[in-house]
Amino acid sequence: MPPTKACCAHDHDCETADCGVAYSLYKHVAVDQVRCLNEANVGSCRNVLRPWHTRLDAVETPLRSNEDDDEQEFLLHIPFDGSVKLKAISVIARGPLGTAPGRMRAYINRDDLDFGTAAQAAPVQEWELAVDGDARGVIEYPTQVAKFTGVHSLDLLLSGASGGMDYIEVHFIGLKGEFAERRRQAVETVYELRPVPGDGQKIPGIGDGAHWHA
């Protein structure tokens, strides 16, 4: 299946349109479990998952891949604290010219991915990313929603520096969709409504020598 194209969905006043509510899935990310393979600064992957209204803010340590002449890529693992329906993704890269990633592949509900297994597995969906990194924050990449329902974890493989640089850099990743509380397993408790005849239990409120009898 060919990569999905971007959709220019935010060429309006996002405050008026209340885009922040739609892009609020960051609140349901299990941040302490977010990890990224091949990030230049360990832990920087957590800096890109934040509120929509901060998407254009400067980031002291953006998510950057290690420098490599052949492969510029990183694999970001995003677990949620419940089930989500993912409708779109925003990727903003405001680094040096030519360092924006050119392609994104998404996998869901996988805890075993590394670059080797990702290369062998078919992504749920992939996109061609904006060459300029969407520096103005007006582009979103829509998902095939039916394939992104019941998502407990999301893996994003971003690769290919758009301008031929030896690393890629991302400043913001936004997740648009709906959240459903994690279903808690019901615990069934059985109460004995009356004592079993002959079990020797005392009758409440009656003398010490009184017991149930058959």
Side-chain angles (χ1 to χ4, degrees):
M1 181 178 294
T4 306
K5 299 292 185 179
C7 173
C8 295
H10 298 282
D11 52 352
H12 55 239
D13 184 347
C14 279
E15 296 300 325
T16 301
D18 210 9
C19 293
V21 173
Y23 272 88
S24 62
L25 287 183
Y26 74 92
K27 296 188 296 185
H28 304 292
V29 171
V31 178
D32 59 337
Q33 299 175 41
V34 173
R35 62 180 184 268
C36 186
L37 297 180
N38 201 39
E39 61 180 332
N41 298 289
V42 176
S44 61
C45 55
R46 299 170 185 173
N47 297 337
V48 301
L49 300 165
R50 57 182 195 275
W52 175 257
H53 70 273
T54 69
R55 68 192 184 283
L56 300 182
D57 290 357
V59 180
E60 183 175 351
T61 309
L63 177 54
R64 176 185 293 187
S65 70
N66 288 304
E67 296 182 6
D68 191 314
D69 292 336
D70 298 320
E71 297 289 344
Q72 308 85 39
E73 60 185 358
F74 51 70
L75 180 60
L76 177 62
H77 177 71
I78 306 172
F80 299 98
D81 58 13
S83 175
V84 307
K85 178 188 292 185
L86 184 64
K87 297 181 177 180
I89 302 171
S90 170
V91 178
I92 298 175
R94 308 189 79 197
L97 185 65
T99 61
R103 184 176 294 260
M104 175 171 64
R105 297 178 177 89
Y107 308 80
I108 63 171
N109 300 335
R110 297 286 299 263
D111 292 320
D112 61 336
L113 283 184
D114 55 24
F115 290 114
T117 53
Q120 298 297 321
V124 178
Q125 191 173 346
E126 60 182 304
W127 300 261
E128 291 180 357
L129 303 183
V131 175
D132 68 352
D134 185 27
R136 295 188 300 121
V138 297
I139 294 174
E140 69 178 25
Y141 301 93
T143 68
Q144 298 166 357
V145 179
K147 296 182 178 181
F148 287 86
T149 299
V151 177
H152 292 276
S153 68
L154 173 69
D155 284 81
L156 298 176
L157 176 59
L158 291 102
S159 61
S162 59
M165 300 292 283
D166 58 3
Y167 68 91
I168 55 174
E169 184 173 299
V170 168
H171 290 238
F172 175 85
I173 292 179
L175 304 172
K176 177 181 180 180
E178 300 173 4
F179 176 79
E181 293 288 346
R182 183 183 297 278
R183 181 177 298 176
R184 297 180 179 178
Q185 184 175 1
V187 178
E188 183 179 0
T189 303
V190 178
Y191 294 94
E192 187 176 345
L193 298 180
R194 66 182 182 85
V196 176
D199 65 359
Q201 294 186 39
K202 295 180 180 179
I203 303 174
I206 303 181
D208 291 340
H211 293 80
W212 292 103
H213 295 283

